[in-house]
Amino acid sequence: MTPPRTLAKNLPSTHHVVVLGAGYGGLMTALRLAPHTRVTLVDPAGHFTERVRLHERASGRPDVTHPLDGFLRGTGITHVAARATRLDLAAREVHTDNGQVLHYDRLVHALGSRTAPTPTPDEGTSTPVEGTPANGGRAYTTESAAELHKRLLEGPGTLAVVGGGLTGVELATELAESHSGWRIGLHTEGIVGASLSDRGRAHVRTALVARGVRIEEGHRVAGPDAVDADVVLWAASMVPATALAKAAGIAVDRTGRITVDTALRSVSHPEVYAVGDSAAAHTEAAGPLRMACATALPTGAHAAVALTADLRGEEPPPLRFGYLLQCVSLGRRDGVIQPVRADDSPRARILTGRPAAYVKEQVVLSTVRMLRLASRHPSALRYVPGIG
């Protein structure tokens, strides 16, 4: 885990850091940097979305967002409610869709990820617009959770969840529990819950079967049109939202994530940092970091530490991180807490049932608590294991 570090103070007021994206990683970076330098946060939304609760939103939770102003008030951070459209790396400028041009000394790319585009029958790709179903109103993603919930209220039918990872598992169990009239299937190319231990996978299967979810493993679904269902929920994989970075010439790895050094600096443009799902981050203990809230918050916090050293002319410290748990909710009254080694490989023992559901909820609550702590008492973060 990242050891406690103290952010340097009294940076020259002329330094300006622009952060792209107000998700877990970007918001954490901005909040922790704010007491030490001038920060502009660029995000078209006026709210922070708890992406780890989108399966709950699909099942009927009224809202999973928090007003950005509640985090930014009193921090000095400038929020630009716009979308970045172009990066001019030579001039160190961000161009936005509302005509603004923002000059920066350092740039933080924290635009995160999205559900991978769903293939179309002609073998092209079709990227669903956030909040809008694709394939004529039949295919949905986690990003369109609110629209999916409206569709489910129209009446029972068949629902196919494509993707057997933890996102697909949470969606299938949550929806089966809250919408018992729907016949739900879970389709995966591999096995359900592959990242869990044998005992963890067994408990997941038991929970799915108990809720009437039909499991189909070992075959690849070519696209929503290949599934015989009234509604398809596509959760097969995630892709980084790095098109803007690639267009500007920032180096990315084969998965499309920004290639960074141990301090989270772009290897091709050291004045650019990347955090969260945008970054191909790695540590000695964990190896390559997967896309997750569990990695977005620590990388966001560390980027602030590294940037502070960088702006003072010092060598930024390396990120130190190791995994502790994988947490899976199986509806509102069940779950799996899977202890893992530092490299994210599962240990044998697990926690299940209501105690696991309680622990998972506390972990989810802690993400917003950490952001509020960063807003009100950023210096206290250095005492939080895994964040400081």
Side-chain angles (χ1 to χ4, degrees), residues 10 29 40 65 90 101-102 109 140 143 150 154 175 294 366:
N10 301 321
T29 305
T40 296
T65 67
V101 178
L102 307 171
H109 190 292
Y140 296 76
E143 291 87 354
K150 293 177 183 178
E154 293 176 4
L175 294 176
S366 73

Side-chain angles (χ1 to χ4, degrees), residues 21-24 27 41-51 54 57 63-72 79-83 130 143 371-372:
Y24 293 101
L27 188 53
L41 180 64
V42 181
D43 193 290
H47 56 264
F48 164 75
T49 298
E50 291 189 77
R51 285 187 63 178
L54 286 176
R57 181 69 184 93
D63 194 15
V64 295
T65 67
H66 304 268
L68 265 182
D69 187 57
F71 297 100
L72 304 184
H79 174 217
V80 174
R83 192 180 304 277
E130 184 170 338
E143 291 87 354
L371 290 169
R372 296 203 185 283

Side-chain angles (χ1 to χ4, degrees), residues 297-388:
L297 288 172
T299 55
H302 182 80
V305 173
L307 271 162
T308 303
D310 182 10
L311 292 173
R312 289 176 60 88
E314 302 169 359
E315 181 62 24
L319 173 68
R320 296 178 184 175
F321 174 83
Y323 293 97
L324 290 175
L325 299 170
Q326 291 183 24
C327 304
V328 192
S329 63
L330 303 171
R332 295 296 84 208
R333 298 178 295 277
D334 193 6
V336 174
I337 303 301
Q338 174 71 72
V340 296
R341 300 176 183 87
D343 65 357
D344 208 25
S345 58
R347 299 183 185 272
R349 301 186 67 176
I350 60 172
L351 179 68
T352 62
R354 287 183 180 271
Y358 175 80
V359 172
K360 169 65 188 294
E361 177 62 16
Q362 295 309 304
V363 169
V364 172
L365 287 171
S366 73
T367 62
V368 176
R369 289 170 181 160
M370 288 302 101
L371 290 169
R372 296 203 185 283
L373 183 64
S375 172
R376 298 165 186 168
H377 307 287
S379 61
L381 287 174
R382 66 179 182 269
Y383 300 112
V384 180
I387 299 294

Side-chain angles (χ1 to χ4, degrees), residues 245-262:
K246 288 188 283 187
I250 296 173
V252 300
D253 70 0
R254 60 181 180 80
T255 69
R257 302 174 83 183
I258 295 173
T259 310
V260 296
D261 64 13
T262 58

Side-chain angles (χ1 to χ4, degrees), residues 131-196:
T132 304
N135 295 67
R138 183 169 168 269
Y140 296 76
T141 66
T142 54
E143 291 87 354
S144 54
E147 293 298 322
L148 172 61
H149 177 61
K150 293 177 183 178
R151 173 64 182 87
L152 296 178
L153 293 177
E154 293 176 4
T158 55
L159 167 67
V161 179
V162 179
L166 303 188
T167 298
V169 166
E170 290 192 326
L171 285 163
T173 51
E174 193 82 32
L175 294 176
E177 182 176 280
S178 60
H179 294 75
S180 58
W182 283 79
R183 300 186 304 279
I184 298 177
L186 180 61
H187 305 253
T188 178
E189 184 175 5
I191 60 175
V192 172
S195 66
L196 303 174

